[in-house]
mmCIF file of all heavy atoms in Angstrom:
data_model
loop_
_atom_site.group_PDB
_atom_site.id
_atom_site.type_symbol
_atom_site.label_atom_id
_atom_site.label_comp_id
_atom_site.label_asym_id
_atom_site.label_seq_id
_atom_site.Cartn_x
_atom_site.Cartn_y
_atom_site.Cartn_z
ATOM 1 N N SER A 176 18.332 15.661 18.380
ATOM 2 C CA SER A 176 18.491 17.079 18.038
ATOM 3 C C SER A 176 17.155 17.745 17.772
ATOM 4 O O SER A 176 17.103 18.951 17.515
ATOM 5 C CB SER A 176 19.391 17.221 16.803
ATOM 6 O OG SER A 176 18.820 16.554 15.688
ATOM 7 N N VAL A 177 16.064 16.968 17.820
ATOM 8 C CA VAL A 177 14.716 17.518 17.675
ATOM 9 C C VAL A 177 13.880 17.068 18.860
ATOM 10 O O VAL A 177 14.252 16.142 19.586
ATOM 11 C CB VAL A 177 14.050 17.060 16.353
ATOM 12 C CG1 VAL A 177 14.857 17.540 15.151
ATOM 13 C CG2 VAL A 177 13.887 15.547 16.313
ATOM 14 N N ASP A 178 12.756 17.722 19.058
ATOM 15 C CA ASP A 178 11.874 17.366 20.171
ATOM 16 C C ASP A 178 11.328 15.953 19.972
ATOM 17 O O ASP A 178 10.793 15.629 18.904
ATOM 18 C CB ASP A 178 10.721 18.379 20.233
ATOM 19 C CG ASP A 178 9.934 18.291 21.535
ATOM 20 O OD1 ASP A 178 9.745 17.168 22.046
ATOM 21 O OD2 ASP A 178 9.496 19.338 22.028
ATOM 22 N N GLU A 179 11.452 15.109 21.013
ATOM 23 C CA GLU A 179 10.934 13.745 20.909
ATOM 24 C C GLU A 179 9.444 13.725 20.590
ATOM 25 O O GLU A 179 8.956 12.790 19.946
ATOM 26 C CB GLU A 179 11.188 12.982 22.214
ATOM 27 C CG GLU A 179 12.575 12.419 22.319
ATOM 28 C CD GLU A 179 12.744 11.561 23.558
ATOM 29 O OE1 GLU A 179 11.735 11.307 24.262
ATOM 30 O OE2 GLU A 179 13.878 11.134 23.828
ATOM 31 N N LYS A 180 8.713 14.730 21.042
ATOM 32 C CA LYS A 180 7.287 14.811 20.749
ATOM 33 C C LYS A 180 7.048 14.822 19.247
ATOM 34 O O LYS A 180 6.106 14.194 18.749
ATOM 35 C CB LYS A 180 6.690 16.061 21.392
ATOM 36 C CG LYS A 180 5.204 16.254 21.127
ATOM 37 C CD LYS A 180 4.684 17.543 21.752
ATOM 38 C CE LYS A 180 3.214 17.768 21.424
ATOM 39 N NZ LYS A 180 2.721 19.059 21.987
ATOM 40 N N ASN A 181 7.940 15.491 18.518
ATOM 41 C CA ASN A 181 7.786 15.554 17.066
ATOM 42 C C ASN A 181 8.039 14.189 16.418
ATOM 43 O O ASN A 181 7.383 13.816 15.440
ATOM 44 C CB ASN A 181 8.741 16.592 16.478
ATOM 45 C CG ASN A 181 8.405 18.005 16.926
ATOM 46 O OD1 ASN A 181 7.277 18.293 17.327
ATOM 47 N ND2 ASN A 181 9.390 18.899 16.879
ATOM 48 N N ILE A 182 8.990 13.439 16.977
ATOM 49 C CA ILE A 182 9.243 12.087 16.463
ATOM 50 C C ILE A 182 8.028 11.207 16.724
ATOM 51 O O ILE A 182 7.585 10.454 15.850
ATOM 52 C CB ILE A 182 10.501 11.483 17.114
ATOM 53 C CG1 ILE A 182 11.731 12.338 16.804
ATOM 54 C CG2 ILE A 182 10.714 10.052 16.628
ATOM 55 C CD1 ILE A 182 13.000 11.853 17.479
ATOM 56 N N SER A 183 7.479 11.293 17.924
ATOM 57 C CA SER A 183 6.295 10.503 18.265
ATOM 58 C C SER A 183 5.133 10.829 17.345
ATOM 59 O O SER A 183 4.412 9.931 16.874
ATOM 60 C CB SER A 183 5.893 10.755 19.723
ATOM 61 O OG SER A 183 6.881 10.305 20.609
ATOM 62 N N GLU A 184 4.927 12.120 17.079
ATOM 63 C CA GLU A 184 3.830 12.536 16.197
ATOM 64 C C GLU A 184 4.050 12.038 14.776
ATOM 65 O O GLU A 184 3.101 11.637 14.092
ATOM 66 C CB GLU A 184 3.694 14.050 16.222
ATOM 67 C CG GLU A 184 3.152 14.576 17.557
ATOM 68 C CD GLU A 184 3.113 16.097 17.618
ATOM 69 O OE1 GLU A 184 3.713 16.739 16.712
ATOM 70 O OE2 GLU A 184 2.513 16.641 18.560
ATOM 71 N N MET A 185 5.312 12.031 14.325
ATOM 72 C CA MET A 185 5.623 11.509 12.993
ATOM 73 C C MET A 185 5.248 10.031 12.893
ATOM 74 O O MET A 185 4.619 9.592 11.918
ATOM 75 C CB MET A 185 7.110 11.691 12.694
ATOM 76 C CG MET A 185 7.566 11.034 11.392
ATOM 77 S SD MET A 185 9.360 10.828 11.285
ATOM 78 C CE MET A 185 9.655 9.528 12.501
ATOM 79 N N LEU A 186 5.596 9.248 13.926
ATOM 80 C CA LEU A 186 5.282 7.818 13.912
ATOM 81 C C LEU A 186 3.778 7.584 14.016
ATOM 82 O O LEU A 186 3.227 6.711 13.348
ATOM 83 C CB LEU A 186 6.013 7.111 15.053
ATOM 84 C CG LEU A 186 7.539 7.078 14.945
ATOM 85 C CD1 LEU A 186 8.142 6.466 16.202
ATOM 86 C CD2 LEU A 186 7.991 6.297 13.716
ATOM 87 N N ALA A 187 3.113 8.371 14.848
ATOM 88 C CA ALA A 187 1.666 8.188 15.038
ATOM 89 C C ALA A 187 0.870 8.562 13.796
ATOM 90 O O ALA A 187 -0.224 8.036 13.574
ATOM 91 C CB ALA A 187 1.199 9.022 16.229
ATOM 92 N N SER A 188 1.427 9.442 12.966
ATOM 93 C CA SER A 188 0.699 9.890 11.770
ATOM 94 C C SER A 188 0.588 8.803 10.704
ATOM 95 O O SER A 188 -0.262 8.896 9.806
ATOM 96 C CB SER A 188 1.402 11.103 11.151
ATOM 97 O OG SER A 188 2.610 10.718 10.505
ATOM 98 N N SER A 189 1.448 7.800 10.760
ATOM 99 C CA SER A 189 1.485 6.684 9.794
ATOM 100 C C SER A 189 1.868 7.132 8.387
ATOM 101 O O SER A 189 1.721 6.366 7.433
ATOM 102 C CB SER A 189 0.136 5.946 9.740
ATOM 103 O OG SER A 189 -0.200 5.429 11.004
ATOM 104 N N GLU A 190 2.373 8.351 8.241
ATOM 105 C CA GLU A 190 2.713 8.834 6.902
ATOM 106 C C GLU A 190 4.017 8.228 6.389
ATOM 107 O O GLU A 190 4.183 8.019 5.188
ATOM 108 C CB GLU A 190 2.807 10.360 6.917
ATOM 109 C CG GLU A 190 1.462 11.043 7.158
ATOM 110 C CD GLU A 190 1.569 12.551 7.196
ATOM 111 O OE1 GLU A 190 2.699 13.075 6.991
ATOM 112 O OE2 GLU A 190 0.549 13.218 7.433
ATOM 113 N N ILE A 191 4.962 7.958 7.296
ATOM 114 C CA ILE A 191 6.239 7.375 6.901
ATOM 115 C C ILE A 191 6.317 5.914 7.338
ATOM 116 O O ILE A 191 6.734 5.046 6.569
ATOM 117 C CB ILE A 191 7.420 8.184 7.487
ATOM 118 C CG1 ILE A 191 7.365 9.627 6.986
ATOM 119 C CG2 ILE A 191 8.755 7.533 7.109
ATOM 120 C CD1 ILE A 191 8.417 10.528 7.605
ATOM 121 N N PHE A 192 5.914 5.643 8.548
ATOM 122 C CA PHE A 192 5.877 4.283 9.085
ATOM 123 C C PHE A 192 4.453 3.980 9.559
ATOM 124 O O PHE A 192 3.945 4.653 10.449
ATOM 125 C CB PHE A 192 6.846 4.127 10.265
ATOM 126 C CG PHE A 192 8.285 4.387 9.926
ATOM 127 C CD1 PHE A 192 8.860 5.625 10.206
ATOM 128 C CD2 PHE A 192 9.057 3.413 9.323
ATOM 129 C CE1 PHE A 192 10.183 5.872 9.895
ATOM 130 C CE2 PHE A 192 10.385 3.650 9.003
ATOM 131 C CZ PHE A 192 10.954 4.886 9.284
ATOM 132 N N ASP A 193 3.835 2.988 8.940
ATOM 133 C CA ASP A 193 2.476 2.596 9.305
ATOM 134 C C ASP A 193 2.544 1.258 10.024
ATOM 135 O O ASP A 193 2.851 0.225 9.423
ATOM 136 C CB ASP A 193 1.607 2.491 8.050
ATOM 137 C CG ASP A 193 0.137 2.248 8.367
ATOM 138 O OD1 ASP A 193 -0.167 1.830 9.511
ATOM 139 O OD2 ASP A 193 -0.709 2.458 7.481
ATOM 140 N N PHE A 194 2.250 1.259 11.328
ATOM 141 C CA PHE A 194 2.420 0.074 12.159
ATOM 142 C C PHE A 194 1.226 -0.875 12.137
ATOM 143 O O PHE A 194 1.208 -1.825 12.913
ATOM 144 C CB PHE A 194 2.732 0.494 13.600
ATOM 145 C CG PHE A 194 4.177 0.864 13.826
ATOM 146 C CD1 PHE A 194 4.635 2.136 13.540
ATOM 147 C CD2 PHE A 194 5.072 -0.064 14.330
ATOM 148 C CE1 PHE A 194 5.968 2.484 13.754
ATOM 149 C CE2 PHE A 194 6.395 0.265 14.550
ATOM 150 C CZ PHE A 194 6.853 1.545 14.257
ATOM 151 N N LYS A 195 0.233 -0.636 11.282
ATOM 152 C CA LYS A 195 -0.815 -1.640 11.132
ATOM 153 C C LYS A 195 -0.190 -2.932 10.607
ATOM 154 O O LYS A 195 0.672 -2.893 9.723
ATOM 155 C CB LYS A 195 -1.893 -1.160 10.160
ATOM 156 C CG LYS A 195 -2.772 -0.046 10.688
ATOM 157 C CD LYS A 195 -3.838 0.318 9.661
ATOM 158 C CE LYS A 195 -4.751 1.419 10.160
ATOM 159 N NZ LYS A 195 -5.778 1.774 9.149
ATOM 160 N N PRO A 196 -0.609 -4.100 11.115
ATOM 161 C CA PRO A 196 0.028 -5.357 10.707
ATOM 162 C C PRO A 196 0.081 -5.568 9.199
ATOM 163 O O PRO A 196 1.122 -5.961 8.661
ATOM 164 C CB PRO A 196 -0.827 -6.421 11.395
ATOM 165 C CG PRO A 196 -1.338 -5.738 12.628
ATOM 166 C CD PRO A 196 -1.587 -4.317 12.211
ATOM 167 N N SER A 197 -1.027 -5.316 8.502
ATOM 168 C CA SER A 197 -1.036 -5.565 7.055
ATOM 169 C C SER A 197 -0.035 -4.668 6.339
ATOM 170 O O SER A 197 0.620 -5.094 5.374
ATOM 171 C CB SER A 197 -2.430 -5.358 6.477
ATOM 172 O OG SER A 197 -2.876 -4.022 6.686
ATOM 173 N N ASN A 198 0.112 -3.424 6.812
ATOM 174 C CA ASN A 198 1.025 -2.503 6.142
ATOM 175 C C ASN A 198 2.478 -2.867 6.402
ATOM 176 O O ASN A 198 3.296 -2.883 5.481
ATOM 177 C CB ASN A 198 0.785 -1.067 6.595
ATOM 178 C CG ASN A 198 1.743 -0.114 5.900
ATOM 179 O OD1 ASN A 198 1.544 0.258 4.753
ATOM 180 N ND2 ASN A 198 2.821 0.252 6.589
ATOM 181 N N LEU A 199 2.804 -3.137 7.651
ATOM 182 C CA LEU A 199 4.214 -3.420 7.926
ATOM 183 C C LEU A 199 4.655 -4.718 7.255
ATOM 184 O O LEU A 199 5.817 -4.857 6.836
ATOM 185 C CB LEU A 199 4.502 -3.418 9.426
ATOM 186 C CG LEU A 199 3.825 -4.442 10.348
ATOM 187 C CD1 LEU A 199 4.620 -5.725 10.429
ATOM 188 C CD2 LEU A 199 3.675 -3.846 11.759
ATOM 189 N N ILE A 200 3.744 -5.673 7.132
ATOM 190 C CA ILE A 200 4.055 -6.915 6.419
ATOM 191 C C ILE A 200 4.345 -6.612 4.950
ATOM 192 O O ILE A 200 5.315 -7.124 4.373
ATOM 193 C CB ILE A 200 2.895 -7.925 6.559
ATOM 194 C CG1 ILE A 200 2.850 -8.477 7.988
ATOM 195 C CG2 ILE A 200 3.048 -9.073 5.554
ATOM 196 C CD1 ILE A 200 1.598 -9.278 8.290
ATOM 197 N N ASP A 201 3.523 -5.748 4.337
ATOM 198 C CA ASP A 201 3.740 -5.370 2.938
ATOM 199 C C ASP A 201 4.998 -4.526 2.774
ATOM 200 O O ASP A 201 5.779 -4.720 1.834
ATOM 201 C CB ASP A 201 2.532 -4.597 2.409
ATOM 202 C CG ASP A 201 1.319 -5.482 2.204
ATOM 203 O OD1 ASP A 201 1.481 -6.718 2.154
ATOM 204 O OD2 ASP A 201 0.202 -4.933 2.104
ATOM 205 N N ASP A 202 5.188 -3.581 3.693
ATOM 206 C CA ASP A 202 6.307 -2.648 3.596
ATOM 207 C C ASP A 202 7.641 -3.393 3.613
ATOM 208 O O ASP A 202 8.579 -3.032 2.885
ATOM 209 C CB ASP A 202 6.238 -1.651 4.756
ATOM 210 C CG ASP A 202 6.866 -0.309 4.416
ATOM 211 O OD1 ASP A 202 7.360 -0.159 3.299
ATOM 212 O OD2 ASP A 202 6.867 0.586 5.284
ATOM 213 N N LEU A 203 7.740 -4.423 4.423
ATOM 214 C CA LEU A 203 8.979 -5.190 4.532
ATOM 215 C C LEU A 203 8.966 -6.466 3.690
ATOM 216 O O LEU A 203 9.930 -7.230 3.721
ATOM 217 C CB LEU A 203 9.239 -5.548 6.002
ATOM 218 C CG LEU A 203 9.429 -4.372 6.963
ATOM 219 C CD1 LEU A 203 9.679 -4.873 8.379
ATOM 220 C CD2 LEU A 203 10.586 -3.476 6.507
ATOM 221 N N GLN A 204 7.873 -6.688 2.958
ATOM 222 C CA GLN A 204 7.750 -7.883 2.114
ATOM 223 C C GLN A 204 8.015 -9.164 2.912
ATOM 224 O O GLN A 204 8.755 -10.072 2.471
ATOM 225 C CB GLN A 204 8.691 -7.789 0.919
ATOM 226 C CG GLN A 204 8.261 -6.752 -0.119
ATOM 227 C CD GLN A 204 6.945 -7.145 -0.814
ATOM 228 O OE1 GLN A 204 6.895 -8.087 -1.584
ATOM 229 N NE2 GLN A 204 5.878 -6.420 -0.516
ATOM 230 N N LEU A 205 7.391 -9.257 4.071
ATOM 231 C CA LEU A 205 7.652 -10.374 4.983
ATOM 232 C C LEU A 205 7.025 -11.683 4.516
ATOM 233 O O LEU A 205 7.420 -12.752 4.988
ATOM 234 C CB LEU A 205 7.145 -10.017 6.384
ATOM 235 C CG LEU A 205 7.839 -8.831 7.060
ATOM 236 C CD1 LEU A 205 7.256 -8.591 8.449
ATOM 237 C CD2 LEU A 205 9.348 -9.042 7.138
#
């Protein structure tokens, strides 16, 4: 229901989801 470009920009900003390995490991307590 929103522009996919906006979703991509949200993910790339790392403000909600940060895909750096150290962060995602911490975020999910892996």
Side-chain angles (χ1 to χ4, degrees):
S176 60
V177 299
D178 193 323
E179 278 186 7
K180 179 182 177 182
N181 295 338
I182 299 177
S183 295
E184 290 176 348
M185 173 197 71
L186 294 175
S188 73
S189 301
E190 293 179 2
I191 300 175
F192 299 98
D193 187 342
F194 279 84
K195 289 182 179 179
S197 61
N198 180 79
L199 63 88
I200 288 169
D201 288 343
D202 208 359
L203 298 180
Q204 289 294 290
L205 297 181

